Amino acid sequence: MNEKIFVTQPFFPDRKLFDSYVDRIWEGKWLTNNGPLAMEFENKLIDYLQTKNVTLTVNGHLALEIAVRALDLTGEVITTPFTFASTTHSITSAGLTPVFCDIDPETLTIDVTKIETLITDKTSAIAPVHVYGHPCNVREIERIAKKYNLKVIYDAAHAFGVKLEETKGICEFGDISMLSFHATKLFNTIEGGALAYNGNYKRKLDLFKNFGIENEDTVSCIGLNAKMNEFQAAMGLSNIGYIDDIICRRKVLTGHYRTRLDEIPGIRYFVPEKTEGVKYNYSYMPVCINPVEYGMDRNALYLKLKEQDIFARKYFYPITSEFDCYKHLPSDVPEAKKASESVLCLPIYYDLTIEQIDRICDIIKSR
Ligand code: T4K
């Protein structure tokens, strides 16, 4: 029997360190509703993310939902379908219409040359995704948003720790950026998420994450319950000290994958850090399969790996514009469709070994 290798595995901090935070939860008898650990964690993230404000949430999806609500968006939001269900659902669940823009095949992020053609008098925002942690063309999106007076909400679920223009944090761009701290992400708080932003949205976002409750007498808006609890914050406080080590380890693993995959025609990996000034986080190991050169298509490779107990994932197939609930909406997104049929995310996580990567690459090579 082969050892099973999944696309990812959560990072676990030193148990004693986590326990020291859990001891504080027991002593303080405080479990949720913006407790002391959550506040401490929020401040640590402000330092790390280099934004003026952070609002912690119970998961990344609800963070997106409250961001969409708090920005008072109306009508249409331009977004990309090459993403997780969450991005599109957060738009529609607020009663807005997603307008699907195609992606750039080099970075798999929104194709900035197509955004302006989709703007109408109903457009209120752009919701791009830093797919696999590859930064969108933030400066061009900024230019378009300014020109048409649109808000920008970045789905930065994959982009924790990414830097641009040498020193700028990825969340310094756009009105609000959403991060996911789900167990499967490079930085986890079990489940969890955050909104990071420089604008003056703190009060509003905090209201929306707590039912709209202003105080004991006043509820001022239709809010959600999206508060991060103290166990999640304990995990975040424990894990944040490891982040440089986590990214460093993933860089080494990615480097080994590259060396091995270079031997195989028809397998192309994405090399975003070649973009000048970008510090990448190596959050995923996406490869694009050219069936003619490789001799097998993406689905066949996925199955071949699965037979050997290696569970790669087809992130993001199907694209959201093809979901039953969205296929009635107009969409002209051939590059997104092509990517969804040719990209495979190979296993990558802190505890993955070089030997395991060799096993995976040997299987890929033996087509
Ligand atoms: N926007 C984008 C672009 C996103 O990618 C996501 C989430 C969001 C928004 C929303 O953020 P959150 O609300 O989730 O914070 C996973 C994650 O559940 C999801 O967070 C993530 N994107 C998405 C890309 O991947 P699945 O359906 O692939 O998860 P699952 O349970 O199949 O896990 C993948 C593998 O990880 C498993 O085969 C085994 C391993 N695993 C998983 C868990 C949960 C473990 O080893 N231990 C674990 O505890 O969605």
Side-chain angles (χ1 to χ4, degrees):
M1 257 261 290
N2 285 321
E3 159 209 29
K4 287 186 166 57
I5 304 179
F6 295 101
V7 69
T8 190
Q9 193 177 76
F11 178 85
F12 281 84
D14 175 68
R15 181 66 188 271
K16 286 203 182 79
L17 176 61
F18 182 70
D19 284 348
S20 70
Y21 287 110
V22 173
D23 287 345
R24 282 172 56 187
I25 299 176
W26 248 254
E27 282 154 21
K29 307 259 179 285
W30 197 280
L31 286 171
T32 185
N33 290 8
N34 309 317
L37 294 183
M39 293 304 96
E40 193 176 322
F41 180 42
E42 205 164 270
N43 284 328
K44 283 235 158 98
L45 283 179
I46 288 172
D47 284 347
Y48 183 73
L49 297 170
Q50 302 172 207
T51 53
K52 286 196 188 117
N53 285 302
V54 164
T55 294
L56 290 177
T57 55
V58 68
N59 59 49
H61 178 69
L62 285 178
L64 265 186
E65 288 216 2
I66 67 170
V68 168
R69 282 170 171 76
L71 287 183
D72 294 323
L73 305 183
T74 55
E76 298 172 354
V77 177
I78 297 173
T79 187
T80 138
F82 190 70
T83 186
F84 195 55
S86 170
T87 323
T88 314
H89 288 349
S90 68
I91 296 167
T92 50
S93 65
L96 306 166
T97 305
V99 173
F100 295 113
C101 183
D102 208 359
I103 57 169
D104 167 5
E106 286 307 307
T107 62
L108 308 180
T109 60
I110 196 161
D111 183 343
V112 289
T113 65
K114 304 226 164 82
I115 297 176
E116 285 188 90
T117 61
L118 297 169
I119 294 174
T120 70
D121 54 5
K122 296 199 189 98
T123 311
S124 61
I126 313 172
V129 184
H130 299 302
V131 181
Y132 309 135
H134 305 183
C136 297
N137 185 340
V138 291
R139 289 296 179 197
E140 183 58 10
I141 292 169
E142 188 173 83
R143 185 195 68 76
I144 297 168
K146 263 204 191 117
K147 182 170 167 195
Y148 296 92
N149 193 24
L150 305 175
K151 300 281 189 216
V152 179
I153 300 177
Y154 280 111
D155 181 330
H158 302 177
F160 191 78
V162 173
K163 286 208 165 38
L164 282 182
E165 299 175 2
E166 306 301 341
T167 56
K168 281 200 155 61
I170 189 108
C171 299
E172 293 186 62
F173 298 89
D175 290 278
I176 300 181
S177 296
M178 177 282 279
L179 297 150
S180 165
F181 306 146
H182 185 263
T184 56
K185 298 291 186 290
L186 92 160
F187 171 76
N188 85 82
T189 61
I190 309 170
E191 289 256 9
L195 296 168
Y197 47 98
N198 282 327
N200 203 12
Y201 304 119
K202 178 79 180 153
R203 193 182 146 267
K204 214 161 176 191
L205 290 169
D206 284 350
L207 264 184
F208 271 100
K209 80 167 185 186
N210 188 26
F211 305 99
I213 298 173
E214 293 260 4
N215 54 48
E216 287 183 40
D217 303 314
T218 312
V219 176
S220 60
C221 61
I222 308 171
L224 305 169
N225 178 4
K227 300 174 303 279
M228 177 177 274
N229 70 53
E230 290 289 275
F231 282 89
Q232 293 176 293
M235 193 66 156
L237 285 165
S238 306
N239 278 343
I240 191 81
Y242 294 92
I243 189 65
D244 290 343
D245 184 27
I246 292 172
I247 294 176
C248 211
R249 172 75 186 151
R250 284 169 172 268
K251 186 174 180 178
V252 170
L253 298 175
T254 304
H256 191 67
Y257 260 123
R258 282 184 185 159
T259 310
R260 289 296 321 268
L261 294 173
D262 267 346
E263 305 162 4
I264 312 171
I267 304 279
R268 178 167 71 95
Y269 47 78
F270 294 92
V271 271
E273 91 262 41
K274 278 195 178 153
T275 315
E276 214 180 305
V278 174
K279 183 181 160 252
Y280 189 48
N281 67 0
Y282 308 93
S283 54
Y284 288 82
M285 185 61 218
V287 290
C288 179
I289 290 101
N290 177 331
V292 178
E293 284 176 34
Y294 178 60
M296 188 187 281
D297 69 11
R298 188 275 310 269
N299 289 349
L301 176 59
Y302 166 84
L303 288 174
K304 185 182 161 85
L305 288 165
K306 197 171 174 183
E307 276 162 18
Q308 304 278 334
D309 287 322
I310 291 159
F311 299 90
R313 291 295 288 265
K314 301 175 205 172
Y315 298 133
F316 292 103
Y317 171 84
I319 48 175
T320 67
S321 51
E322 292 188 341
F323 288 3
D324 284 350
C325 45
Y326 300 129
K327 62 185 174 202
H328 63 285
L329 295 169
S331 66
D332 177 18
V333 288
E335 293 297 345
K337 185 148 173 68
K338 218 189 289 170
S340 81
E341 287 165 357
S342 57
V343 175
L344 191 62
C345 287
L346 300 177
I348 188 161
Y349 50 90
Y350 187 83
D351 291 319
L352 190 72
T353 63
I354 296 291
E355 291 70 29
Q356 286 171 318
I357 293 178
D358 281 336
R359 196 183 130 212
I360 295 164
C361 293
D362 287 345
I363 297 168
I364 299 175
K365 201 174 171 183
S366 70
R367 64 194 178 282

Short mmCIF file of all heavy atoms in Angstrom, two decimals, residues 1-6 300-312 356 359-360 362-364 366:
data_model
loop_
_atom_site.label_atom_id
_atom_site.label_comp_id
_atom_site.label_asym_id
_atom_site.label_seq_id
_atom_site.Cartn_x
_atom_site.Cartn_y
_atom_site.Cartn_z
N MET A 1 0.83 -1.22 0.00
CA MET A 1 0.00 0.00 0.00
C MET A 1 0.86 1.27 0.00
O MET A 1 1.80 1.38 0.78
CB MET A 1 -0.88 0.01 1.27
CG MET A 1 -2.32 -0.38 1.02
SD MET A 1 -3.46 0.99 0.86
CE MET A 1 -3.53 1.67 2.52
N ASN A 2 0.51 2.20 -0.90
CA ASN A 2 1.24 3.47 -0.95
C ASN A 2 0.81 4.38 0.19
O ASN A 2 -0.34 4.34 0.62
CB ASN A 2 0.91 4.19 -2.25
CG ASN A 2 1.61 3.56 -3.43
OD1 ASN A 2 2.75 3.17 -3.33
ND2 ASN A 2 0.91 3.50 -4.55
N GLU A 3 1.71 5.23 0.56
CA GLU A 3 1.34 6.29 1.52
C GLU A 3 0.52 7.33 0.75
O GLU A 3 0.87 7.68 -0.37
CB GLU A 3 2.65 6.86 2.05
CG GLU A 3 2.58 8.21 2.64
CD GLU A 3 3.91 8.96 2.48
OE1 GLU A 3 4.66 8.70 1.50
OE2 GLU A 3 4.15 9.81 3.31
N LYS A 4 -0.57 7.79 1.34
CA LYS A 4 -1.41 8.80 0.66
C LYS A 4 -0.76 10.18 0.76
O LYS A 4 -0.30 10.57 1.83
CB LYS A 4 -2.79 8.87 1.32
CG LYS A 4 -3.69 7.68 1.02
CD LYS A 4 -5.08 7.96 1.61
CE LYS A 4 -6.17 7.06 1.11
NZ LYS A 4 -6.01 5.65 1.27
N ILE A 5 -0.75 10.88 -0.36
CA ILE A 5 -0.25 12.27 -0.33
C ILE A 5 -1.37 13.17 -0.86
O ILE A 5 -1.79 13.03 -2.01
CB ILE A 5 1.02 12.45 -1.21
CG1 ILE A 5 2.12 11.46 -0.77
CG2 ILE A 5 1.52 13.87 -1.12
CD1 ILE A 5 3.40 11.55 -1.61
N PHE A 6 -1.83 14.07 0.00
CA PHE A 6 -2.90 14.99 -0.39
C PHE A 6 -2.33 16.29 -0.95
O PHE A 6 -1.15 16.59 -0.75
CB PHE A 6 -3.80 15.28 0.81
CG PHE A 6 -4.53 14.05 1.29
CD1 PHE A 6 -4.08 13.35 2.41
CD2 PHE A 6 -5.61 13.56 0.60
CE1 PHE A 6 -4.73 12.19 2.83
CE2 PHE A 6 -6.28 12.41 1.01
CZ PHE A 6 -5.82 11.72 2.13
N ALA A 300 -6.41 12.73 -17.31
CA ALA A 300 -5.75 11.42 -17.29
C ALA A 300 -4.61 11.43 -16.27
O ALA A 300 -4.41 10.46 -15.52
CB ALA A 300 -5.25 11.06 -18.68
N LEU A 301 -3.87 12.54 -16.23
CA LEU A 301 -2.77 12.62 -15.25
C LEU A 301 -3.32 12.63 -13.82
O LEU A 301 -2.79 11.97 -12.92
CB LEU A 301 -1.92 13.87 -15.51
CG LEU A 301 -0.79 14.11 -14.50
CD1 LEU A 301 0.20 12.94 -14.45
CD2 LEU A 301 -0.03 15.40 -14.81
N TYR A 302 -4.41 13.36 -13.63
CA TYR A 302 -5.06 13.41 -12.30
C TYR A 302 -5.40 11.99 -11.83
O TYR A 302 -5.12 11.61 -10.69
CB TYR A 302 -6.31 14.30 -12.42
CG TYR A 302 -7.26 14.19 -11.26
CD1 TYR A 302 -7.06 14.94 -10.10
CD2 TYR A 302 -8.37 13.35 -11.31
CE1 TYR A 302 -7.93 14.83 -9.03
CE2 TYR A 302 -9.24 13.24 -10.26
CZ TYR A 302 -9.02 13.98 -9.12
OH TYR A 302 -9.87 13.87 -8.04
N LEU A 303 -5.98 11.20 -12.75
CA LEU A 303 -6.39 9.83 -12.40
C LEU A 303 -5.17 8.92 -12.17
O LEU A 303 -5.16 8.10 -11.25
CB LEU A 303 -7.28 9.24 -13.50
CG LEU A 303 -8.68 9.83 -13.58
CD1 LEU A 303 -9.44 9.28 -14.78
CD2 LEU A 303 -9.47 9.56 -12.28
N LYS A 304 -4.16 9.11 -13.01
CA LYS A 304 -2.94 8.29 -12.88
C LYS A 304 -2.30 8.52 -11.50
O LYS A 304 -1.89 7.57 -10.82
CB LYS A 304 -1.97 8.70 -13.99
CG LYS A 304 -0.72 7.88 -14.09
CD LYS A 304 0.12 8.47 -15.22
CE LYS A 304 1.57 8.07 -15.13
NZ LYS A 304 1.86 6.79 -15.73
N LEU A 305 -2.26 9.80 -11.08
CA LEU A 305 -1.70 10.10 -9.75
C LEU A 305 -2.59 9.52 -8.64
O LEU A 305 -2.10 8.95 -7.66
CB LEU A 305 -1.55 11.61 -9.58
CG LEU A 305 -0.43 12.28 -10.40
CD1 LEU A 305 -0.60 13.79 -10.43
CD2 LEU A 305 0.95 11.92 -9.81
N LYS A 306 -3.90 9.63 -8.85
CA LYS A 306 -4.85 9.16 -7.84
C LYS A 306 -4.71 7.63 -7.64
O LYS A 306 -4.77 7.15 -6.50
CB LYS A 306 -6.26 9.51 -8.31
CG LYS A 306 -7.31 9.47 -7.22
CD LYS A 306 -8.59 10.04 -7.73
CE LYS A 306 -9.69 9.89 -6.73
NZ LYS A 306 -10.96 10.39 -7.26
N GLU A 307 -4.52 6.92 -8.76
CA GLU A 307 -4.34 5.47 -8.65
C GLU A 307 -3.14 5.11 -7.77
O GLU A 307 -3.08 4.04 -7.19
CB GLU A 307 -4.07 4.87 -10.06
CG GLU A 307 -5.31 4.59 -10.85
CD GLU A 307 -4.99 4.44 -12.35
OE1 GLU A 307 -3.80 4.23 -12.70
OE2 GLU A 307 -5.94 4.58 -13.15
N GLN A 308 -2.19 6.05 -7.72
CA GLN A 308 -0.97 5.83 -6.90
C GLN A 308 -1.08 6.55 -5.55
O GLN A 308 -0.07 6.86 -4.91
CB GLN A 308 0.25 6.37 -7.65
CG GLN A 308 0.46 5.81 -9.01
CD GLN A 308 1.17 4.46 -8.99
OE1 GLN A 308 1.90 4.15 -8.07
NE2 GLN A 308 0.91 3.64 -10.00
N ASP A 309 -2.33 6.89 -5.17
CA ASP A 309 -2.59 7.54 -3.87
C ASP A 309 -2.00 8.93 -3.75
O ASP A 309 -1.64 9.39 -2.66
CB ASP A 309 -2.11 6.66 -2.70
CG ASP A 309 -3.03 5.47 -2.52
OD1 ASP A 309 -4.25 5.62 -2.69
OD2 ASP A 309 -2.51 4.37 -2.24
N ILE A 310 -1.90 9.61 -4.88
CA ILE A 310 -1.48 11.02 -4.85
C ILE A 310 -2.66 11.86 -5.29
O ILE A 310 -3.15 11.73 -6.42
CB ILE A 310 -0.23 11.26 -5.73
CG1 ILE A 310 0.93 10.54 -5.02
CG2 ILE A 310 0.07 12.73 -5.90
CD1 ILE A 310 2.07 10.22 -5.86
N PHE A 311 -3.12 12.71 -4.37
CA PHE A 311 -4.39 13.40 -4.59
C PHE A 311 -4.14 14.86 -4.97
O PHE A 311 -4.22 15.76 -4.14
CB PHE A 311 -5.28 13.26 -3.35
CG PHE A 311 -5.61 11.82 -3.07
CD1 PHE A 311 -4.80 11.04 -2.24
CD2 PHE A 311 -6.69 11.21 -3.69
CE1 PHE A 311 -5.08 9.70 -2.01
CE2 PHE A 311 -6.98 9.86 -3.47
CZ PHE A 311 -6.17 9.11 -2.63
N ALA A 312 -3.77 15.05 -6.24
CA ALA A 312 -3.66 16.41 -6.78
C ALA A 312 -5.09 16.96 -6.92
O ALA A 312 -6.05 16.21 -6.82
CB ALA A 312 -2.96 16.36 -8.13
N GLN A 356 9.18 12.61 -1.38
CA GLN A 356 7.78 12.51 -1.84
C GLN A 356 7.62 13.24 -3.17
O GLN A 356 6.91 12.77 -4.06
CB GLN A 356 6.83 13.08 -0.77
CG GLN A 356 6.68 12.15 0.42
CD GLN A 356 5.91 12.80 1.56
OE1 GLN A 356 6.11 13.97 1.88
NE2 GLN A 356 5.03 12.03 2.17
N ARG A 359 8.85 11.03 -5.79
CA ARG A 359 7.87 9.96 -6.11
C ARG A 359 6.79 10.50 -7.05
O ARG A 359 6.44 9.88 -8.06
CB ARG A 359 7.24 9.45 -4.80
CG ARG A 359 6.53 8.13 -5.00
CD ARG A 359 5.85 7.67 -3.71
NE ARG A 359 4.48 7.32 -4.01
CZ ARG A 359 3.47 7.47 -3.19
NH1 ARG A 359 3.65 7.98 -1.99
NH2 ARG A 359 2.26 7.12 -3.56
N ILE A 360 6.30 11.70 -6.75
CA ILE A 360 5.25 12.31 -7.58
C ILE A 360 5.79 12.55 -9.00
O ILE A 360 5.15 12.21 -10.00
CB ILE A 360 4.77 13.65 -6.93
CG1 ILE A 360 4.09 13.37 -5.59
CG2 ILE A 360 3.84 14.43 -7.88
CD1 ILE A 360 3.92 14.59 -4.71
N ASP A 362 8.34 11.16 -10.49
CA ASP A 362 8.63 9.90 -11.21
C ASP A 362 7.35 9.38 -11.88
O ASP A 362 7.40 8.92 -13.02
CB ASP A 362 9.16 8.82 -10.23
CG ASP A 362 10.60 9.11 -9.80
OD1 ASP A 362 11.26 9.94 -10.46
OD2 ASP A 362 11.04 8.52 -8.79
N ILE A 363 6.24 9.49 -11.17
CA ILE A 363 4.96 9.02 -11.76
C ILE A 363 4.59 9.91 -12.96
O ILE A 363 4.21 9.42 -14.02
CB ILE A 363 3.83 9.03 -10.71
CG1 ILE A 363 4.16 8.04 -9.58
CG2 ILE A 363 2.47 8.68 -11.35
CD1 ILE A 363 3.26 8.17 -8.37
N ILE A 364 4.76 11.21 -12.80
CA ILE A 364 4.41 12.12 -13.90
C ILE A 364 5.32 11.83 -15.11
O ILE A 364 4.86 11.80 -16.25
CB ILE A 364 4.55 13.61 -13.47
CG1 ILE A 364 3.60 13.92 -12.31
CG2 ILE A 364 4.28 14.55 -14.65
CD1 ILE A 364 3.74 15.32 -11.72
N SER A 366 6.73 9.03 -15.92
CA SER A 366 6.57 7.69 -16.50
C SER A 366 5.28 7.56 -17.32
O SER A 366 4.63 6.53 -17.27
CB SER A 366 6.54 6.65 -15.38
OG SER A 366 5.32 6.81 -14.66
#
